[in-house]
Coordinates of all heavy atoms in Angstrom, one line a residue:
M14 N -53.7 222.1 -209.6 CA -53.8 221.1 -208.5 C -55.1 221.3 -207.9 O -55.6 222.4 -207.5 CB -52.6 221.4 -207.5 CG -52.7 220.5 -206.3 SD -51.4 220.6 -205.0 CE -50.0 221.2 -205.8
T15 N -55.8 220.1 -207.7 CA -57.1 220.2 -207.0 C -57.0 220.3 -205.5 O -55.9 220.1 -204.9 CB -57.9 218.9 -207.4 OG1 -57.2 217.8 -206.8 CG2 -58.0 218.7 -208.9
L16 N -58.1 220.6 -204.9 CA -58.1 220.7 -203.4 C -57.8 219.3 -202.8 O -57.1 219.3 -201.7 CB -59.5 221.2 -203.0 CG -59.7 221.5 -201.5 CD1 -58.7 222.6 -201.1 CD2 -61.1 221.9 -201.2
E17 N -58.2 218.3 -203.4 CA -58.0 216.9 -202.8 C -56.5 216.6 -202.8 O -56.0 216.1 -201.9 CB -58.8 215.8 -203.6 CG -60.2 215.9 -203.3 CD -61.0 216.8 -204.3 OE1 -60.3 217.4 -205.2 OE2 -62.2 217.0 -204.1
I18 N -55.8 216.9 -203.9 CA -54.4 216.7 -204.0 C -53.6 217.5 -203.0 O -52.7 217.1 -202.4 CB -53.9 216.9 -205.5 CG1 -54.5 215.9 -206.4 CG2 -52.4 216.8 -205.6 CD1 -54.2 216.1 -207.9
A19 N -54.0 218.8 -202.9 CA -53.3 219.7 -201.9 C -53.5 219.1 -200.5 O -52.6 219.1 -199.7 CB -53.9 221.1 -202.1
F20 N -54.7 218.7 -200.2 CA -55.0 218.1 -198.9 C -54.1 216.9 -198.7 O -53.5 216.7 -197.6 CB -56.5 217.7 -198.7 CG -56.8 217.0 -197.4 CD1 -56.8 217.7 -196.2 CD2 -57.0 215.7 -197.4 CE1 -57.1 217.1 -195.0 CE2 -57.2 215.0 -196.2 CZ -57.3 215.7 -195.0
L21 N -54.0 216.0 -199.6 CA -53.2 214.8 -199.5 C -51.8 215.1 -199.3 O -51.1 214.5 -198.4 CB -53.4 213.9 -200.8 CG -52.7 212.6 -200.7 CD1 -53.1 211.7 -199.6 CD2 -52.9 211.9 -202.1
F22 N -51.2 216.0 -200.1 CA -49.8 216.4 -199.9 C -49.6 217.0 -198.5 O -48.5 216.8 -197.9 CB -49.3 217.3 -201.0 CG -49.0 216.7 -202.3 CD1 -49.3 217.3 -203.5 CD2 -48.4 215.4 -202.3 CE1 -49.0 216.7 -204.7 CE2 -48.1 214.8 -203.5 CZ -48.4 215.4 -204.7
T23 N -50.5 217.8 -198.1 CA -50.4 218.4 -196.7 C -50.4 217.4 -195.7 O -49.6 217.4 -194.7 CB -51.5 219.5 -196.5 OG1 -51.4 220.5 -197.5 CG2 -51.4 220.1 -195.1
L24 N -51.3 216.4 -195.8 CA -51.5 215.3 -194.8 C -50.2 214.5 -194.8 O -49.7 214.1 -193.7 CB -52.7 214.5 -195.1 CG -52.9 213.3 -194.2 CD1 -53.1 213.7 -192.8 CD2 -54.0 212.4 -194.7
L25 N -49.7 214.2 -196.0 CA -48.4 213.4 -196.1 C -47.3 214.1 -195.4 O -46.5 213.5 -194.7 CB -48.1 213.1 -197.5 CG -49.0 212.0 -198.1 CD1 -48.6 211.8 -199.6 CD2 -48.8 210.6 -197.5
G26 N -47.2 215.4 -195.7 CA -46.1 216.2 -195.1 C -46.2 216.3 -193.5 O -45.2 216.1 -192.8
V27 N -47.4 216.4 -193.0 CA -47.6 216.4 -191.6 C -47.3 215.1 -191.0 O -46.6 215.0 -189.9 CB -49.0 216.9 -191.2 CG1 -49.3 216.6 -189.8 CG2 -49.3 218.3 -191.6
M28 N -47.7 214.0 -191.7 CA -47.4 212.7 -191.2 C -45.9 212.4 -191.2 O -45.4 211.8 -190.3 CB -48.2 211.6 -192.0 CG -49.7 211.6 -191.7 SD -50.6 210.4 -192.7 CE -49.9 208.9 -192.1
V29 N -45.2 212.8 -192.2 CA -43.7 212.6 -192.3 C -43.1 213.3 -191.1 O -42.2 212.7 -190.4 CB -43.1 213.1 -193.6 CG1 -41.6 213.2 -193.6 CG2 -43.6 212.1 -194.7
I30 N -43.5 214.5 -190.8 CA -42.9 215.3 -189.7 C -43.2 214.6 -188.4 O -42.3 214.4 -187.5 CB -43.4 216.7 -189.7 CG1 -42.9 217.5 -190.9 CG2 -43.1 217.4 -188.4 CD1 -43.5 218.8 -191.1
L31 N -44.4 214.1 -188.2 CA -44.8 213.4 -187.0 C -44.1 212.0 -186.9 O -43.7 211.6 -185.8 CB -46.3 213.1 -186.9 CG -47.1 214.4 -186.7 CD1 -48.6 214.1 -186.8 CD2 -46.8 215.0 -185.3
F32 N -43.8 211.4 -188.0 CA -43.1 210.1 -188.0 C -41.6 210.4 -187.5 O -41.1 209.7 -186.7 CB -43.1 209.4 -189.3 CG -44.3 208.7 -189.6 CD1 -44.9 208.7 -190.9 CD2 -45.0 207.9 -188.7 CE1 -46.0 208.0 -191.2 CE2 -46.1 207.2 -189.0 CZ -46.6 207.2 -190.3
L33 N -41.0 211.4 -188.1 CA -39.6 211.7 -187.8 C -39.4 212.3 -186.4 O -38.4 211.9 -185.7 CB -39.1 212.7 -188.8 CG -39.0 212.2 -190.2 CD1 -38.5 213.3 -191.2 CD2 -38.0 211.0 -190.3
T34 N -40.3 213.1 -185.9 CA -40.2 213.7 -184.6 C -40.8 212.8 -183.5 O -40.4 213.0 -182.3 CB -40.8 215.1 -184.5 OG1 -42.2 214.9 -184.7 CG2 -40.2 216.0 -185.5
E35 N -41.6 211.9 -183.8 CA -42.3 211.0 -182.9 C -43.0 211.8 -181.8 O -43.0 211.4 -180.6 CB -41.4 210.0 -182.3 CG -40.9 209.0 -183.4 CD -40.0 207.9 -182.8 OE1 -40.1 207.6 -181.6 OE2 -39.3 207.2 -183.6
K36 N -43.6 212.9 -182.1 CA -44.4 213.7 -181.2 C -45.6 212.9 -180.8 O -46.1 213.1 -179.7 CB -44.7 215.1 -181.7 CG -43.6 216.0 -181.8 CD -44.0 217.4 -182.1 CE -42.8 218.3 -182.3 NZ -42.4 219.0 -181.1
L37 N -46.1 212.1 -181.7 CA -47.2 211.2 -181.5 C -46.6 209.8 -181.7 O -45.7 209.7 -182.6 CB -48.4 211.4 -182.4 CG -49.2 212.6 -182.2 CD1 -50.3 212.7 -183.3 CD2 -49.9 212.6 -180.9
P38 N -47.1 208.7 -181.1 CA -46.6 207.4 -181.4 C -46.8 207.1 -182.9 O -47.8 207.6 -183.5 CB -47.4 206.5 -180.5 CG -47.9 207.3 -179.4 CD -48.0 208.7 -179.9
V39 N -46.0 206.4 -183.5 CA -46.0 206.1 -184.9 C -47.4 205.4 -185.3 O -48.0 205.8 -186.3 CB -44.8 205.2 -185.3 CG1 -44.9 204.8 -186.8 CG2 -43.5 205.9 -185.1
D40 N -47.8 204.5 -184.5 CA -49.1 203.8 -184.8 C -50.3 204.8 -184.7 O -51.2 204.7 -185.6 CB -49.3 202.6 -183.9 CG -49.2 202.9 -182.4 OD1 -48.7 204.0 -182.1 OD2 -49.6 202.1 -181.6
V41 N -50.2 205.7 -183.8 CA -51.3 206.7 -183.7 C -51.3 207.7 -184.9 O -52.3 208.0 -185.5 CB -51.2 207.6 -182.4 CG1 -52.2 208.7 -182.4 CG2 -51.4 206.7 -181.2
T42 N -50.1 208.0 -185.4 CA -50.0 208.9 -186.6 C -50.5 208.2 -187.8 O -51.3 208.8 -188.6 CB -48.5 209.3 -186.8 OG1 -48.0 210.0 -185.6 CG2 -48.3 210.1 -188.0
A43 N -50.1 206.9 -188.0 CA -50.6 206.2 -189.1 C -52.1 206.0 -189.1 O -52.8 206.2 -190.1 CB -49.9 204.8 -189.2
F44 N -52.7 205.6 -188.0 CA -54.1 205.4 -187.9 C -54.9 206.8 -188.1 O -55.9 206.8 -188.7 CB -54.5 204.8 -186.5 CG -55.9 204.5 -186.4 CD1 -56.4 203.4 -187.1 CD2 -56.8 205.2 -185.6 CE1 -57.8 203.1 -187.0 CE2 -58.1 204.9 -185.5 CZ -58.6 203.8 -186.2
A45 N -54.3 207.9 -187.5 CA -55.0 209.2 -187.7 C -55.0 209.6 -189.2 O -56.0 210.1 -189.6 CB -54.3 210.2 -186.8
G46 N -53.9 209.3 -189.9 CA -53.8 209.7 -191.3 C -54.9 208.9 -192.1 O -55.6 209.4 -192.9
L47 N -54.9 207.6 -191.8 CA -55.9 206.7 -192.5 C -57.3 207.2 -192.1 O -58.2 207.2 -193.0 CB -55.7 205.3 -192.1 CG -56.6 204.3 -192.7 CD1 -56.5 204.3 -194.3 CD2 -56.3 202.9 -192.2
S48 N -57.6 207.5 -190.9 CA -58.9 207.9 -190.5 C -59.3 209.2 -191.2 O -60.5 209.4 -191.6 CB -58.9 208.1 -189.0 OG -58.7 206.9 -188.3
L49 N -58.4 210.1 -191.3 CA -58.7 211.4 -192.0 C -59.0 211.2 -193.4 O -59.9 211.8 -194.0 CB -57.5 212.4 -191.9 CG -57.4 213.2 -190.6 CD1 -56.1 214.0 -190.5 CD2 -58.6 214.2 -190.6
L50 N -58.3 210.3 -194.1 CA -58.6 210.0 -195.5 C -60.0 209.3 -195.7 O -60.7 209.7 -196.6 CB -57.5 209.0 -196.1 CG -56.1 209.7 -196.3 CD1 -55.1 208.6 -196.7 CD2 -56.2 210.8 -197.3
V51 N -60.3 208.5 -194.7 CA -61.7 207.9 -194.8 C -62.7 208.9 -194.5 O -63.8 209.0 -195.1 CB -61.8 206.6 -193.8 CG1 -63.2 206.1 -193.7 CG2 -60.8 205.5 -194.3
A52 N -62.5 209.7 -193.4 CA -63.5 210.7 -193.0 C -63.7 211.8 -194.1 O -64.9 212.2 -194.3 CB -63.0 211.4 -191.8
T53 N -62.7 212.1 -194.9 CA -62.9 213.1 -196.0 C -63.5 212.5 -197.2 O -63.8 213.2 -198.2 CB -61.6 213.8 -196.3 OG1 -60.6 212.8 -196.7 CG2 -61.0 214.6 -195.2
G54 N -63.5 211.1 -197.3 CA -64.0 210.5 -198.5 C -63.0 210.2 -199.6 O -63.4 209.8 -200.7
L55 N -61.8 210.6 -199.3 CA -60.8 210.3 -200.4 C -60.5 208.9 -200.5 O -60.0 208.4 -201.6 CB -59.5 211.1 -200.0 CG -59.6 212.6 -200.1 CD1 -58.3 213.3 -199.6 CD2 -59.9 213.1 -201.5
V56 N -60.7 208.1 -199.5 CA -60.5 206.6 -199.5 C -61.8 206.0 -198.9 O -62.3 206.5 -197.9 CB -59.3 206.3 -198.6 CG1 -59.1 204.8 -198.5 CG2 -58.0 206.9 -199.2
T57 N -62.3 205.0 -199.5 CA -63.4 204.3 -199.0 C -63.0 203.3 -197.9 O -61.8 203.0 -197.8 CB -64.1 203.4 -200.1 OG1 -63.3 202.4 -200.5 CG2 -64.5 204.3 -201.2
T58 N -63.9 202.9 -197.0 CA -63.5 202.0 -195.9 C -63.0 200.7 -196.5 O -62.1 200.1 -195.9 CB -64.7 201.8 -195.0 OG1 -65.9 201.4 -195.7 CG2 -65.0 203.0 -194.2
D59 N -63.6 200.2 -197.6 CA -63.1 199.0 -198.2 C -61.7 199.1 -198.6 O -60.9 198.2 -198.4 CB -64.0 198.6 -199.4 CG -65.4 198.1 -198.9 OD1 -65.5 197.7 -197.8 OD2 -66.3 198.1 -199.8
E60 N -61.4 200.2 -199.3 CA -60.0 200.5 -199.7 C -59.0 200.6 -198.5 O -57.9 200.2 -198.6 CB -59.9 201.7 -200.6 CG -60.6 201.6 -201.9 CD -60.7 203.0 -202.6 OE1 -60.7 204.0 -202.0 OE2 -60.8 202.9 -203.9
A61 N -59.5 201.2 -197.5 CA -58.7 201.5 -196.3 C -58.2 200.3 -195.6 O -57.1 200.2 -195.1 CB -59.4 202.5 -195.3
F62 N -59.1 199.3 -195.5 CA -58.8 198.1 -194.7 C -58.5 196.8 -195.5 O -58.2 195.8 -194.9 CB -59.9 197.9 -193.7 CG -60.1 199.0 -192.8 CD1 -61.1 199.8 -192.9 CD2 -59.1 199.2 -191.8 CE1 -61.3 200.9 -192.0 CE2 -59.2 200.3 -190.9 CZ -60.3 201.1 -191.0
V63 N -58.4 196.9 -196.8 CA -58.2 195.7 -197.7 C -56.7 195.3 -197.4 O -56.4 194.1 -197.5 CB -58.4 196.0 -199.2 CG1 -57.4 196.9 -199.8 CG2 -58.5 194.7 -199.9
G64 N -55.8 196.1 -197.1 CA -54.4 195.8 -196.9 C -54.2 194.9 -195.7 O -53.2 194.2 -195.6
F65 N -55.1 195.0 -194.7 CA -54.9 194.2 -193.5 C -55.1 192.7 -193.8 O -54.8 191.9 -192.9 CB -55.8 194.7 -192.4 CG -55.4 196.0 -191.9 CD1 -56.2 197.1 -192.2 CD2 -54.3 196.2 -191.1 CE1 -55.9 198.4 -191.7 CE2 -53.9 197.4 -190.7 CZ -54.7 198.5 -191.0
A66 N -55.7 192.3 -194.9 CA -55.9 190.9 -195.2 C -54.7 190.3 -196.0 O -54.7 189.1 -196.2 CB -57.2 190.8 -196.1
S67 N -53.7 191.1 -196.2 CA -52.5 190.7 -196.9 C -51.7 189.7 -196.1 O -51.5 190.0 -194.9 CB -51.7 191.9 -197.3 OG -50.4 191.5 -197.7
P68 N -51.2 188.6 -196.6 CA -50.4 187.7 -195.8 C -49.1 188.4 -195.3 O -48.7 188.0 -194.2 CB -50.0 186.6 -196.9 CG -51.0 186.7 -197.9 CD -51.5 188.1 -198.0
A69 N -48.6 189.4 -196.0 CA -47.4 190.1 -195.4 C -47.7 190.8 -194.2 O -47.0 190.8 -193.2 CB -46.9 191.0 -196.5
V70 N -48.9 191.5 -194.1 CA -49.3 192.2 -192.9 C -49.5 191.3 -191.8 O -49.1 191.5 -190.6 CB -50.6 193.1 -193.2 CG1 -51.1 193.7 -192.0 CG2 -50.3 194.1 -194.3
I71 N -50.2 190.1 -192.1 CA -50.4 189.2 -191.0 C -49.1 188.6 -190.5 O -49.0 188.4 -189.3 CB -51.4 188.1 -191.5 CG1 -52.8 188.7 -191.8 CG2 -51.5 186.9 -190.5 CD1 -53.7 187.8 -192.5
T72 N -48.2 188.4 -191.4 CA -46.8 187.9 -190.9 C -46.1 188.9 -190.0 O -45.6 188.5 -189.0 CB -46.0 187.6 -192.2 OG1 -46.6 186.6 -193.0 CG2 -44.6 187.1 -191.8
M73 N -46.2 190.1 -190.4 CA -45.5 191.2 -189.6 C -46.2 191.3 -188.2 O -45.6 191.4 -187.2 CB -45.6 192.5 -190.3 CG -44.7 192.6 -191.5 SD -42.9 192.2 -191.2 CE -42.5 193.5 -190.0
L74 N -47.5 191.2 -188.2 CA -48.3 191.2 -187.0 C -47.8 190.1 -186.1 O -47.6 190.2 -184.9 CB -49.8 191.2 -187.2 CG -50.7 191.2 -185.9 CD1 -50.4 192.4 -185.1 CD2 -52.1 191.1 -186.3
S75 N -47.7 188.9 -186.7 CA -47.2 187.7 -185.9 C -45.8 187.9 -185.3 O -45.6 187.6 -184.2 CB -47.2 186.5 -186.8 OG -48.5 186.3 -187.3
V76 N -44.9 188.5 -186.1 CA -43.6 188.8 -185.7 C -43.6 189.7 -184.5 O -42.9 189.6 -183.5 CB -42.7 189.3 -186.8 CG1 -41.4 189.9 -186.3 CG2 -42.5 188.3 -187.8
F77 N -44.4 190.8 -184.6 CA -44.5 191.7 -183.4 C -45.1 191.1 -182.2 O -44.6 191.3 -181.1 CB -45.4 192.9 -183.8 CG -44.8 193.9 -184.8 CD1 -45.5 194.4 -185.9 CD2 -43.5 194.3 -184.7 CE1 -45.0 195.3 -186.8 CE2 -42.9 195.1 -185.6 CZ -43.6 195.6 -186.6
L78 N -46.1 190.2 -182.4 CA -46.6 189.5 -181.2 C -45.6 188.6 -180.6 O -45.5 188.5 -179.3 CB -47.9 188.7 -181.6 CG -49.1 189.6 -182.0 CD1 -50.2 188.7 -182.5 CD2 -49.6 190.4 -180.8
V79 N -44.9 187.8 -181.4 CA -43.9 186.9 -180.8 C -42.8 187.7 -180.1 O -42.4 187.3 -179.0 CB -43.3 186.0 -181.9 CG1 -42.1 185.2 -181.5 CG2 -44.4 185.0 -182.4
S80 N -42.3 188.8 -180.7 CA -41.3 189.6 -180.1 C -41.7 190.2 -178.8 O -41.0 190.3 -177.8 CB -40.7 190.6 -181.1 OG -41.7 191.6 -181.4
A81 N -43.0 190.7 -178.8 CA -43.5 191.2 -177.5 C -43.6 190.1 -176.4 O -43.3 190.4 -175.3 CB -44.9 191.8 -177.8
G82 N -44.0 188.9 -176.8 CA -44.0 187.8 -175.9 C -42.6 187.5 -175.4 O -42.4 187.2 -174.2
L83 N -41.6 187.5 -176.2 CA -40.2 187.3 -175.8 C -39.7 188.4 -174.9 O -39.0 188.1 -173.9 CB -39.3 187.1 -177.0 CG -39.5 185.9 -177.9 CD1 -38.7 186.0 -179.2 CD2 -39.2 184.6 -177.1
Q84 N -40.1 189.6 -175.1 CA -39.7 190.7 -174.2 C -40.4 190.6 -172.9 O -39.8 190.7 -171.8 CB -40.0 192.0 -174.8 CG -39.0 192.4 -175.9 CD -39.2 193.8 -176.4 OE1 -40.4 194.2 -176.6 NE2 -38.2 194.5 -176.7
Y85 N -41.7 190.3 -172.9 CA -42.5 190.2 -171.7 C -42.0 189.0 -170.8 O -41.9 189.2 -169.6 CB -43.9 190.0 -172.0 CG -44.9 189.9 -170.8 CD1 -45.2 191.1 -170.1 CD2 -45.4 188.7 -170.4 CE1 -46.0 191.0 -169.0 CE2 -46.2 188.6 -169.3 CZ -46.5 189.8 -168.6 OH -47.3 189.7 -167.5
T86 N -41.6 187.9 -171.3 CA -41.1 186.8 -170.5 C -39.7 186.9 -170.1 O -39.2 186.1 -169.3 CB -41.3 185.5 -171.3 OG1 -40.6 185.5 -172.5 CG2 -42.8 185.2 -171.6
G87 N -38.9 187.8 -170.7 CA -37.5 188.0 -170.4 C -36.6 187.2 -171.2 O -35.4 187.3 -171.1
V88 N -37.1 186.4 -172.2 CA -36.2 185.6 -173.1 C -35.3 186.6 -173.9 O -34.1 186.3 -174.1 CB -37.0 184.7 -174.0 CG1 -36.2 184.0 -175.0 CG2 -37.8 183.7 -173.1
A89 N -35.9 187.7 -174.4 CA -35.1 188.6 -175.2 C -34.0 189.2 -174.4 O -32.9 189.4 -174.9 CB -36.0 189.7 -175.7
D90 N -34.2 189.5 -173.1 CA -33.1 190.0 -172.3 C -32.0 189.0 -172.1 O -30.8 189.3 -172.1 CB -33.6 190.4 -170.9 CG -34.6 191.6 -171.0 OD1 -34.4 192.4 -171.9 OD2 -35.4 191.7 -170.1
V91 N -32.4 187.7 -171.9 CA -31.3 186.7 -171.7 C -30.5 186.5 -173.0 O -29.3 186.5 -172.9 CB -32.0 185.3 -171.3 CG1 -31.0 184.2 -171.4 CG2 -32.7 185.4 -170.0
L92 N -31.2 186.5 -174.1 CA -30.5 186.4 -175.4 C -29.6 187.7 -175.6 O -28.5 187.6 -176.2 CB -31.4 186.2 -176.5 CG -32.1 184.8 -176.5 CD1 -33.2 184.8 -177.7 CD2 -31.2 183.7 -176.7
G93 N -30.1 188.8 -175.3 CA -29.3 190.0 -175.4 C -28.1 190.1 -174.6 O -27.1 190.6 -175.0
R94 N -28.2 189.6 -173.4 CA -27.0 189.6 -172.5 C -25.9 188.7 -173.0 O -24.7 188.9 -172.7 CB -27.4 189.2 -171.0 CG -28.0 190.4 -170.3 CD -28.1 190.0 -168.8 NE -29.1 188.9 -168.7 CZ -30.3 189.1 -168.2 NH1 -30.7 190.3 -167.8 NH2 -31.1 188.1 -168.2
R95 N -26.3 187.6 -173.7 CA -25.3 186.7 -174.2 C -24.4 187.3 -175.2 O -23.3 186.9 -175.4 CB -26.0 185.4 -174.8 CG -26.5 184.5 -173.8 CD -27.1 183.4 -174.5 NE -26.8 182.2 -173.7 CZ -27.2 181.0 -174.0 NH1 -27.8 180.8 -175.2 NH2 -26.9 179.9 -173.3
G96 N -25.0 188.3 -175.9 CA -24.2 189.0 -177.0 C -24.2 188.4 -178.3 O -24.0 189.1 -179.3
S97 N -24.5 187.1 -178.4 CA -24.6 186.5 -179.7 C -25.4 185.2 -179.5 O -25.5 184.7 -178.4 CB -23.2 186.2 -180.3 OG -22.6 185.2 -179.5
W98 N -25.7 184.5 -180.6 CA -26.5 183.3 -180.5 C -25.6 182.2 -180.0 O -26.0 181.2 -179.4 CB -27.0 182.9 -181.9 CG -28.2 183.8 -182.3 CD1 -28.1 184.9 -183.1 CD2 -29.5 183.7 -181.8 NE1 -29.4 185.5 -183.1 CE2 -30.3 184.8 -182.4 CE3 -30.2 182.8 -180.9 CZ2 -31.6 185.0 -182.1 CZ3 -31.5 183.0 -180.7 CH2 -32.2 184.1 -181.3
G99 N -24.3 182.3 -180.2 CA -23.4 181.3 -179.8 C -23.2 181.2 -178.3 O -22.7 180.3 -177.7
G100 N -23.5 182.4 -177.7 CA -23.4 182.4 -176.2 C -22.0 182.6 -175.8 O -21.0 182.7 -176.5
G101 N -21.8 182.8 -174.5 CA -20.5 182.9 -174.0 C -20.3 183.9 -172.9 O -20.8 184.5 -172.2

C-alpha cells in the first residue's frame, strides 16, 4: 500500500466518523476533505470542482434553496401543522 492510499483511507475514515458524530457540520467536513485532497495534490482543482457543473448537483442546490425559502417564510410550518397535504 502506498502512502497516498494510506492517507486516502485515513481521511475517509476520519470523514465518516465526523459525518456520523456531526462534531463538525456536514458541509464543513465535506469541504475540508476536498480541500485536503486538493492541497496534497491527490486531486487537481479541475477534478475537484467538475462535479458542481452536473445537472443533478444544480437540481439539489435548487431544492435546498427552495426549501430554505419555504422555512424562512413560514410556509413549511403551516404545511407541517396541517399534518398532510389534504389538510384538516
